[in-house]
Amino acid sequence: MSGNRGERTLFTGISQLVTPGAGPQRGAAMRDLTLISGAAMLVEDGLIAWVGSEKDAPPTDQFHDLGGVAVTPALTDPHTHAVWAGDRLSDFEARVQGVPYETILAQGGGIRATMRATADASLSDLVALAAPRIQALVRSGAATIEIKSGYGLDFDAEIRMLEAVRLLQTHTAATLLPTLLLHVPPAEGRAEYVQDVCQSLIPRVANAKLATAVDVFCEQEAFTGDETRQFFAAARLYGLNIKLHADQFHALGGTELACELGALSVDHLEASGEAQIAALGRSHTVATILPGVTLHLGLPAAPARQLIDAGACVAIGTDLNPGSSPLYSAQLALALGVRLNRLTPAEALTAATVNAAAALGLTDRGALVPGMRADFLALHSGDWRDLAYTLGANPVQSVFVAGREQGQMNLHRQTQEQAL
Ligand code: NIG
Ligand code: FE
């Protein structure tokens, strides 16, 4: 994907080049950004070869003048459910009039309604529905996007969701990372289902390389800590990473379990208390906050301030999904993290770049330093802080993936079929 063999371009006209350090940043280090004014950046074969002051730039034949704007690393969205069919507009109307999300789910609606609609959709329907959502996330600054399954009523529908991600990947240079999500148990035959997932679905997904990680929704209306442990054991057996939805409504011990087992990330954390904050502060597991859920469901904000103060590595995601977070912008997730979770703009940039990449096990992106992928943003503004400041307009002028500016996603039905 980074391709572009033999290409060597010097990007100039950068009012500010701003970047966190490479690799996951924890605690106070999340605030340590490097800022170079009047900068230039050399990109070779899709990788960053040099950054510095424009007056010190190495000689090059090919230039790209960005026109005096701020440049930051491209964002990573480490948590989305971007493939779904149907809608949750009636749920939304009911919720804003006081019916809780968990009650709708317990009555067979919510996630279960999306599962019925998604099970009825064909592969090409799923691809066509998800493409504009991915396009919106890329335009908002995301060059890497995780996408979960979890709306399959049965195993074939789960696989179809992951195949949709594989197909979508053929239409964008942004990296799409598929995760198998065990979302909610069936109404009957729960123990058998858990066993089948471990013995059949996880091996099938791993063997076909349809996902790089397994995620579980550990919650009162979803899977227990014990079931989560069983899924994680199977995931590990088949060489898949583990991630967790935990502490969204209740802290059931999932966060502690995920930290103990070395999960890549624990996501949500709206109901996390001191024990969970301390566990994340001590571990390498990334704490991913999802401010869109706080806004859309009116939940408490995840305690990101306390997590950072405890030394945790905090990331930000959109959690784009129809039920709890219809948030189609990675930039807006970053900006909401500042307002709702009390991150500083510098912490939020780190959370949405290197730390979000670390939540996916990726250490080759998210910082503008030599050797990293040249995934970066040119803003409309000369001051990078507009990325964290702007609400409701897009401060991102262009998104570069491996040094190439991204345009519209190119999606033709015929090409999809060929790719199959
Ligand atoms: O991350 N909480 C569980 N899963 C999703 C919501 C899915 C849905 O409501 O459709 C989440 O919030
Ligand atoms: Fe989620």
Side-chain angles (χ1 to χ4, degrees), residues 13-374:
I14 302 174
S15 58
Q16 299 176 333
L17 184 143
V18 180
T19 184
Q25 303 293 321
R26 331 170 50 87
M30 286 182 64
R31 295 188 281 279
D32 288 345
L33 300 182
T34 299
L35 189 156
I36 306 170
S37 298
M41 177 166 69
L42 181 66
V43 174
E44 259 180 38
D45 298 335
L47 300 178
I48 296 168
W50 176 92
V51 290
S53 183
E54 188 173 328
K55 60 181 173 10
D56 303 326
T60 337
D61 294 337
Q62 205 171 313
F63 294 88
H64 186 142
D65 184 351
L66 293 169
V69 299
V71 163
T72 70
L75 311 182
T76 284
D77 189 347
H79 184 137
T80 84
H81 307 250
V83 175
W84 78 81
D87 69 65
R88 300 270 280 280
L89 297 170
S90 303
D91 287 5
F92 174 54
E93 270 195 309
R95 273 202 321 91
V96 295
Q97 291 171 85
V99 186
Y101 177 89
E102 282 182 288
T103 305
I104 295 172
L105 178 56
Q107 290 168 347
I111 295 172
R112 293 187 193 277
T114 301
M115 287 171 109
R116 291 188 288 274
T118 304
D120 281 347
S122 68
L123 180 59
S124 58
D125 287 344
L126 293 178
V127 169
L129 288 165
R133 299 170 191 151
I134 291 162
Q135 176 81 45
L137 290 172
V138 172
R139 284 233 188 100
S140 77
T144 303
I145 301 167
E146 187 253 19
I147 305 176
K148 300 175 196 297
S149 67
Y151 292 128
L153 261 189
D154 54 33
F155 292 175
D156 287 343
E158 278 299 298
I159 300 274
R160 198 153 60 242
M161 290 186 72
L162 295 170
E163 283 173 348
V165 179
R166 180 176 277 182
L167 268 176
L168 286 154
Q169 181 64 91
T170 63
H171 301 288
T172 177
T175 303
L176 306 182
L177 239 85
T179 296
L180 172 68
L181 170 64
L182 288 327
H183 214 167
V184 288
E188 282 163 22
R190 184 171 176 139
E192 214 182 345
Y193 175 82
V194 172
Q195 216 179 43
D196 282 355
V197 166
C198 294
Q199 291 173 2
S200 161
L201 181 60
I202 290 178
R204 205 170 141 192
V205 165
N207 291 336
K209 296 199 180 345
L210 279 168
T212 55
V214 168
D215 189 350
V216 184
F217 183 23
C218 181
E219 188 52 64
Q220 266 175 24
E221 286 303 323
F223 291 105
T224 64
D226 184 55
E227 289 163 338
T228 302
R229 198 181 270 279
Q230 294 179 54
F231 292 141
F232 281 172
R236 286 288 195 224
L237 195 63
Y238 289 93
L240 297 172
N241 288 319
I242 56 178
K243 297 171 78 67
L244 191 65
H245 282 65
D247 307 348
Q248 182 178 6
F249 299 100
H250 308 94
L252 301 180
T255 294
E256 294 88 325
L257 174 70
C259 292
E260 172 199 323
L261 298 179
L264 282 179
S265 73
V266 180
D267 307 34
H268 274 289
L269 308 171
E270 294 88 344
S272 294
E274 282 182 13
Q276 293 74 40
I277 293 168
L280 285 160
R282 282 191 301 269
S283 97
H284 289 286
T285 296
V286 175
T288 301
I289 61 167
L290 307 166
V293 179
T294 294
L295 184 66
H296 188 65
L297 295 189
L299 292 184
R305 201 48 289 129
Q306 292 93 312
L307 282 161
I308 293 176
D309 295 344
C313 174
V314 173
I316 294 182
T318 61
D319 196 11
L320 170 60
N321 77 75
S324 70
S325 183
L327 177 58
Y328 294 76
S329 165
Q331 176 274 329
L332 188 52
L334 184 165
L336 290 176
V338 174
R339 274 71 172 195
L340 301 177
N341 304 87
R342 297 175 45 229
L343 296 188
T344 67
E347 288 167 342
L349 181 68
T350 303
T353 54
V354 269
N355 286 4
L360 301 176
L362 302 172
T363 51
D364 64 342
R365 64 197 71 192
L368 301 178
V369 300
M372 301 285 258
R373 278 170 60 99

